[in-house]
Amino acid sequence: MSAELHLSHLHKRFGGLVAVKDVSFSLARGEVVGLLGPNGSGKTTVMNMISGALPCDGGSVKVGTTDITKMKPHRVAKHGVARTFQLVRPLPTLTVGENVMLSLAFGKKRHWGREARDLAEEKLAFVGLEGRGDEQVGNLTYIDQKRMEMARALASEPDILLLDEWLAGLNPSELSIGIELVRHLQGQGITVLLVEHIMEAVRALCSRCIVMSAGEVIAEGPSAEVLARPAVIKAYLGDDHA
């Protein structure tokens, strides 16, 4: 199976700090892959380089055969890449539906008027918010804000979805809902790169994991095998647990 997303020798430096060093990996169409590592390991920086939010200091990012390395975020979105953020960032003066419709201007196709409203409602229904497009964002619970953010990402009609700790902060019942929603995405053929610290979710969703530490990839392979490696345990828990 050909790579849907391919990272080759990515580098990122902030002054004297090397945040990402020689990171390479690929994702096939429809895969859900975990990008793991302790805080400060470079995971979000990699996500930012893929999405165009940060320029790369070296290496390349390709979607299929298209090089998106130097593209701005709106151009990257046009090539089928969408993302969520660690913190939900709704526009509080807009309704739930209007928050979702904004993404329609930045996806692979542009939608306007009735078509845009219908598509926004379709995405809200997919994430479990059917019929709630006219509500104010401030009325949403935390899990529903997370759902709205997912709907907003899906409104750009992505082939590749970057989930940056999207499941963080959910209680056990909400976590089960979130896991099922990601499974539905995979069922639609969407490729998902999942940054996550909740190992229950990683084991449930990710057939494969990539683990980073201090800006470098230290392990890659089937999730159960990778999570049992001494180097991975050491990166998360320290020498006493390795």
Side-chain angles (χ1 to χ4, degrees):
M1 186 178 292
S2 62
E4 183 80 4
L5 177 68
H6 184 68
L7 279 58
S8 180
H9 304 292
L10 284 191
H11 286 264
K12 185 63 186 177
R13 179 186 294 272
F14 298 103
L17 172 67
V18 178
V20 172
K21 181 180 179 182
D22 199 32
V23 168
S24 300
F25 60 81
S26 297
L27 274 65
R29 179 175 174 80
E31 272 196 301
V32 178
V33 175
L35 181 60
L36 312 181
N39 290 331
S41 59
K43 308 180 300 297
T44 294
T45 302
V46 168
M47 297 282 246
N48 285 336
M49 288 193 286
I50 296 170
S51 65
L54 278 176
C56 303
D57 292 333
S60 66
V61 180
K62 291 184 178 180
V63 173
T65 59
T66 302
D67 192 325
I68 65 168
T69 310
K70 296 182 180 181
M71 292 184 185
K72 298 295 185 183
H74 69 282
R75 293 287 312 282
V76 173
K78 291 290 185 186
H79 287 279
V81 180
R83 70 171 296 178
T84 65
F85 294 87
Q86 292 179 11
L87 298 175
V88 181
R89 300 176 179 179
L91 296 170
T93 60
L94 302 182
T95 66
V96 173
E98 287 168 343
N99 266 269
V100 175
M101 282 193 289
L102 280 177
S103 293
L104 298 173
F106 299 99
K108 291 187 293 183
K109 301 176 183 178
R110 291 192 176 185
H111 303 273
W112 308 100
R114 169 56 62 183
E115 183 185 21
R117 288 192 294 273
D118 289 347
L119 186 58
E121 284 297 329
E122 175 189 315
K123 300 307 178 186
L124 286 170
F126 179 82
V127 301
L129 293 176
E130 184 172 7
R132 300 185 64 182
D134 291 332
E135 289 188 28
Q136 293 300 311
V137 172
N139 294 336
L140 297 180
T141 62
Y142 188 63
I143 178 62
D144 286 342
Q145 287 183 35
K146 292 270 191 174
R147 293 179 195 226
M148 186 200 71
E149 186 182 34
M150 177 72 82
R152 193 162 55 177
L154 294 176
S156 66
E157 302 173 283
D159 301 307
I160 299 166
L161 184 58
L162 311 176
L163 298 181
D164 194 353
E165 296 190 44
W166 183 74
L167 297 167
L170 303 182
N171 65 38
S173 61
E174 292 169 342
L175 180 62
S176 296
I177 293 168
I179 288 171
E180 283 306 310
L181 183 52
V182 177
R183 284 192 176 126
H184 286 316
L185 298 177
Q186 185 179 28
Q188 291 197 335
I190 295 176
T191 302
V192 178
L193 183 61
L194 179 75
V195 168
E196 193 50 69
H197 289 292
I198 302 172
M199 290 301 111
E200 176 187 348
V202 171
R203 290 186 173 95
L205 292 168
C206 304
S207 59
R208 187 162 63 91
C209 287
I210 298 152
V211 182
M212 294 182 65
S213 180
E216 299 183 77
V217 173
I218 61 169
E220 180 177 356
S223 296
E225 174 190 319
V226 164
L227 294 175
R229 290 185 190 177
V232 173
I233 297 170
K234 178 181 176 181
Y236 272 102
L237 301 175
D239 291 311
D240 293 341
H241 295 83

mmCIF file of all heavy atoms in Angstrom, residues 12 35 47-48 63 77 79 84 95 104 113 122 129 138 160 162 167 172 178-179 181 191 193 214 218 227-228 242:
data_model
loop_
_atom_site.group_PDB
_atom_site.id
_atom_site.type_symbol
_atom_site.label_atom_id
_atom_site.label_comp_id
_atom_site.label_asym_id
_atom_site.label_seq_id
_atom_site.Cartn_x
_atom_site.Cartn_y
_atom_site.Cartn_z
ATOM 1 N N LYS A 12 13.798 20.518 13.100
ATOM 2 C CA LYS A 12 13.317 21.811 13.569
ATOM 3 C C LYS A 12 14.146 22.257 14.764
ATOM 4 O O LYS A 12 14.328 21.508 15.714
ATOM 5 C CB LYS A 12 11.837 21.750 13.966
ATOM 6 C CG LYS A 12 11.258 23.119 14.345
ATOM 7 C CD LYS A 12 11.288 24.081 13.184
ATOM 8 C CE LYS A 12 10.862 25.483 13.554
ATOM 9 N NZ LYS A 12 10.969 26.414 12.409
ATOM 10 N N LEU A 35 1.368 8.710 17.600
ATOM 11 C CA LEU A 35 2.649 9.410 17.723
ATOM 12 C C LEU A 35 2.813 9.729 19.206
ATOM 13 O O LEU A 35 2.140 10.611 19.740
ATOM 14 C CB LEU A 35 2.656 10.678 16.871
ATOM 15 C CG LEU A 35 3.949 11.504 16.892
ATOM 16 C CD1 LEU A 35 5.141 10.685 16.398
ATOM 17 C CD2 LEU A 35 3.797 12.770 16.047
ATOM 18 N N MET A 47 3.581 17.724 14.321
ATOM 19 C CA MET A 47 2.228 18.010 13.820
ATOM 20 C C MET A 47 2.161 19.401 13.196
ATOM 21 O O MET A 47 1.534 19.599 12.148
ATOM 22 C CB MET A 47 1.221 17.922 14.967
ATOM 23 C CG MET A 47 1.098 16.557 15.600
ATOM 24 S SD MET A 47 0.098 15.429 14.595
ATOM 25 C CE MET A 47 -1.302 15.190 15.661
ATOM 26 N N ASN A 48 2.808 20.363 13.843
ATOM 27 C CA ASN A 48 2.807 21.730 13.329
ATOM 28 C C ASN A 48 3.529 21.829 11.990
ATOM 29 O O ASN A 48 3.131 22.613 11.113
ATOM 30 C CB ASN A 48 3.443 22.674 14.337
ATOM 31 C CG ASN A 48 2.544 22.970 15.522
ATOM 32 O OD1 ASN A 48 1.331 22.858 15.429
ATOM 33 N ND2 ASN A 48 3.136 23.338 16.648
ATOM 34 N N VAL A 63 2.183 14.512 0.829
ATOM 35 C CA VAL A 63 0.874 13.867 0.825
ATOM 36 C C VAL A 63 0.766 13.162 -0.516
ATOM 37 O O VAL A 63 0.717 13.810 -1.569
ATOM 38 C CB VAL A 63 -0.260 14.892 1.003
ATOM 39 C CG1 VAL A 63 -1.610 14.221 0.815
ATOM 40 C CG2 VAL A 63 -0.184 15.540 2.382
ATOM 41 N N ALA A 77 -4.278 22.472 3.810
ATOM 42 C CA ALA A 77 -5.664 22.011 3.941
ATOM 43 C C ALA A 77 -6.261 21.656 2.590
ATOM 44 O O ALA A 77 -7.045 20.711 2.480
ATOM 45 C CB ALA A 77 -6.496 23.079 4.638
ATOM 46 N N HIS A 79 -4.827 20.279 0.289
ATOM 47 C CA HIS A 79 -4.306 18.964 -0.109
ATOM 48 C C HIS A 79 -4.785 17.861 0.828
ATOM 49 O O HIS A 79 -4.219 16.766 0.848
ATOM 50 C CB HIS A 79 -2.785 19.012 -0.183
ATOM 51 C CG HIS A 79 -2.267 19.781 -1.361
ATOM 52 N ND1 HIS A 79 -2.170 19.237 -2.630
ATOM 53 C CD2 HIS A 79 -1.857 21.070 -1.475
ATOM 54 C CE1 HIS A 79 -1.702 20.151 -3.472
ATOM 55 N NE2 HIS A 79 -1.500 21.264 -2.804
ATOM 56 N N THR A 84 -6.820 18.877 14.763
ATOM 57 C CA THR A 84 -7.391 19.438 15.972
ATOM 58 C C THR A 84 -6.225 19.859 16.870
ATOM 59 O O THR A 84 -5.071 19.517 16.609
ATOM 60 C CB THR A 84 -8.269 18.416 16.721
ATOM 61 O OG1 THR A 84 -7.440 17.341 17.187
ATOM 62 C CG2 THR A 84 -9.361 17.873 15.828
ATOM 63 N N THR A 95 -22.399 30.572 16.329
ATOM 64 C CA THR A 95 -23.104 29.347 16.710
ATOM 65 C C THR A 95 -22.228 28.134 16.419
ATOM 66 O O THR A 95 -21.187 28.225 15.768
ATOM 67 C CB THR A 95 -24.414 29.201 15.922
ATOM 68 O OG1 THR A 95 -24.101 29.001 14.537
ATOM 69 C CG2 THR A 95 -25.306 30.423 16.092
ATOM 70 N N LEU A 104 -15.322 25.228 5.883
ATOM 71 C CA LEU A 104 -15.673 24.878 4.507
ATOM 72 C C LEU A 104 -14.958 25.766 3.487
ATOM 73 O O LEU A 104 -14.838 25.412 2.319
ATOM 74 C CB LEU A 104 -17.184 24.973 4.306
ATOM 75 C CG LEU A 104 -18.012 24.025 5.177
ATOM 76 C CD1 LEU A 104 -19.487 24.313 5.021
ATOM 77 C CD2 LEU A 104 -17.704 22.583 4.840
ATOM 78 N N GLY A 113 -23.613 28.944 1.042
ATOM 79 C CA GLY A 113 -25.061 28.975 1.129
ATOM 80 C C GLY A 113 -25.654 27.708 1.714
ATOM 81 O O GLY A 113 -25.143 27.137 2.680
ATOM 82 N N GLU A 122 -24.359 17.846 8.383
ATOM 83 C CA GLU A 122 -23.955 16.455 8.173
ATOM 84 C C GLU A 122 -22.785 16.086 9.078
ATOM 85 O O GLU A 122 -22.769 15.013 9.699
ATOM 86 C CB GLU A 122 -23.573 16.263 6.701
ATOM 87 C CG GLU A 122 -23.013 14.890 6.376
ATOM 88 C CD GLU A 122 -22.451 14.846 4.958
ATOM 89 O OE1 GLU A 122 -23.124 15.343 4.037
ATOM 90 O OE2 GLU A 122 -21.325 14.325 4.782
ATOM 91 N N LEU A 129 -23.786 15.529 17.217
ATOM 92 C CA LEU A 129 -24.386 16.822 17.551
ATOM 93 C C LEU A 129 -25.506 17.183 16.568
ATOM 94 O O LEU A 129 -25.708 18.352 16.241
ATOM 95 C CB LEU A 129 -23.310 17.923 17.543
ATOM 96 C CG LEU A 129 -22.231 17.839 18.619
ATOM 97 C CD1 LEU A 129 -21.200 18.937 18.425
ATOM 98 C CD2 LEU A 129 -22.836 17.917 20.014
ATOM 99 N N GLY A 138 -21.054 28.432 23.867
ATOM 100 C CA GLY A 138 -20.956 28.462 25.318
ATOM 101 C C GLY A 138 -21.888 27.497 26.022
ATOM 102 O O GLY A 138 -21.691 27.199 27.210
ATOM 103 N N ILE A 160 -6.384 13.145 5.546
ATOM 104 C CA ILE A 160 -5.474 12.923 6.675
ATOM 105 C C ILE A 160 -5.905 13.834 7.817
ATOM 106 O O ILE A 160 -6.067 15.036 7.632
ATOM 107 C CB ILE A 160 -4.013 13.241 6.273
ATOM 108 C CG1 ILE A 160 -3.570 12.329 5.125
ATOM 109 C CG2 ILE A 160 -3.074 13.099 7.479
ATOM 110 C CD1 ILE A 160 -2.294 12.796 4.455
ATOM 111 N N LEU A 162 -4.990 15.023 11.759
ATOM 112 C CA LEU A 162 -3.998 15.072 12.828
ATOM 113 C C LEU A 162 -4.733 15.386 14.132
ATOM 114 O O LEU A 162 -5.275 16.481 14.287
ATOM 115 C CB LEU A 162 -2.949 16.149 12.541
ATOM 116 C CG LEU A 162 -2.332 16.144 11.134
ATOM 117 C CD1 LEU A 162 -1.384 17.336 10.978
ATOM 118 C CD2 LEU A 162 -1.604 14.830 10.863
ATOM 119 N N LEU A 167 -8.375 13.478 22.822
ATOM 120 C CA LEU A 167 -9.089 12.728 23.848
ATOM 121 C C LEU A 167 -8.749 13.184 25.267
ATOM 122 O O LEU A 167 -9.335 12.691 26.233
ATOM 123 C CB LEU A 167 -8.780 11.230 23.710
ATOM 124 C CG LEU A 167 -9.245 10.583 22.399
ATOM 125 C CD1 LEU A 167 -8.607 9.212 22.227
ATOM 126 C CD2 LEU A 167 -10.758 10.474 22.360
ATOM 127 N N PRO A 172 -14.199 8.677 31.763
ATOM 128 C CA PRO A 172 -14.216 7.342 31.133
ATOM 129 C C PRO A 172 -15.342 7.132 30.126
ATOM 130 O O PRO A 172 -15.110 6.534 29.062
ATOM 131 C CB PRO A 172 -14.351 6.405 32.342
ATOM 132 C CG PRO A 172 -13.674 7.140 33.450
ATOM 133 C CD PRO A 172 -14.022 8.582 33.229
ATOM 134 N N GLY A 178 -15.355 9.007 22.444
ATOM 135 C CA GLY A 178 -14.299 9.530 21.580
ATOM 136 C C GLY A 178 -13.595 8.443 20.802
ATOM 137 O O GLY A 178 -13.307 8.599 19.606
ATOM 138 N N ILE A 179 -13.315 7.322 21.456
ATOM 139 C CA ILE A 179 -12.661 6.193 20.788
ATOM 140 C C ILE A 179 -13.533 5.671 19.643
ATOM 141 O O ILE A 179 -13.045 5.405 18.532
ATOM 142 C CB ILE A 179 -12.338 5.084 21.803
ATOM 143 C CG1 ILE A 179 -11.179 5.526 22.714
ATOM 144 C CG2 ILE A 179 -11.982 3.775 21.089
ATOM 145 C CD1 ILE A 179 -10.918 4.595 23.878
ATOM 146 N N LEU A 181 -15.717 7.300 17.956
ATOM 147 C CA LEU A 181 -15.763 8.290 16.888
ATOM 148 C C LEU A 181 -14.537 8.173 15.997
ATOM 149 O O LEU A 181 -14.638 8.230 14.758
ATOM 150 C CB LEU A 181 -15.870 9.691 17.480
ATOM 151 C CG LEU A 181 -16.013 10.850 16.494
ATOM 152 C CD1 LEU A 181 -17.145 10.596 15.506
ATOM 153 C CD2 LEU A 181 -16.254 12.148 17.256
ATOM 154 N N THR A 191 -7.045 8.699 7.088
ATOM 155 C CA THR A 191 -5.788 8.387 7.760
ATOM 156 C C THR A 191 -5.653 9.291 8.980
ATOM 157 O O THR A 191 -5.824 10.502 8.878
ATOM 158 C CB THR A 191 -4.603 8.623 6.800
ATOM 159 O OG1 THR A 191 -4.790 7.812 5.634
ATOM 160 C CG2 THR A 191 -3.280 8.274 7.456
ATOM 161 N N LEU A 193 -3.301 10.469 12.345
ATOM 162 C CA LEU A 193 -2.091 10.494 13.166
ATOM 163 C C LEU A 193 -2.507 11.032 14.526
ATOM 164 O O LEU A 193 -2.961 12.166 14.649
ATOM 165 C CB LEU A 193 -1.010 11.369 12.539
ATOM 166 C CG LEU A 193 0.326 11.410 13.295
ATOM 167 C CD1 LEU A 193 0.958 10.018 13.381
ATOM 168 C CD2 LEU A 193 1.292 12.391 12.633
ATOM 169 N N ALA A 214 13.123 13.342 23.110
ATOM 170 C CA ALA A 214 14.132 14.380 22.872
ATOM 171 C C ALA A 214 14.277 14.703 21.383
ATOM 172 O O ALA A 214 15.377 14.898 20.875
ATOM 173 C CB ALA A 214 15.476 13.961 23.449
ATOM 174 N N ILE A 218 12.475 6.933 18.624
ATOM 175 C CA ILE A 218 13.241 5.890 19.313
ATOM 176 C C ILE A 218 12.638 4.500 19.116
ATOM 177 O O ILE A 218 13.278 3.495 19.436
ATOM 178 C CB ILE A 218 13.375 6.182 20.815
ATOM 179 C CG1 ILE A 218 12.000 6.237 21.491
ATOM 180 C CG2 ILE A 218 14.157 7.479 21.040
ATOM 181 C CD1 ILE A 218 12.067 6.252 23.018
ATOM 182 N N LEU A 227 5.179 -0.624 22.909
ATOM 183 C CA LEU A 227 4.930 -0.143 24.264
ATOM 184 C C LEU A 227 5.616 -1.000 25.321
ATOM 185 O O LEU A 227 5.759 -0.573 26.473
ATOM 186 C CB LEU A 227 3.427 -0.083 24.533
ATOM 187 C CG LEU A 227 2.668 0.950 23.697
ATOM 188 C CD1 LEU A 227 1.165 0.849 23.950
ATOM 189 C CD2 LEU A 227 3.155 2.362 23.981
ATOM 190 N N ALA A 228 6.057 -2.205 24.934
ATOM 191 C CA ALA A 228 6.751 -3.090 25.875
ATOM 192 C C ALA A 228 8.269 -2.951 25.805
ATOM 193 O O ALA A 228 8.979 -3.542 26.626
ATOM 194 C CB ALA A 228 6.362 -4.542 25.600
ATOM 195 N N ALA A 242 12.693 0.587 33.448
ATOM 196 C CA ALA A 242 13.071 -0.003 32.158
ATOM 197 C C ALA A 242 13.527 -1.436 32.305
ATOM 198 O O ALA A 242 13.984 -1.845 33.352
ATOM 199 C CB ALA A 242 14.161 0.846 31.524
#
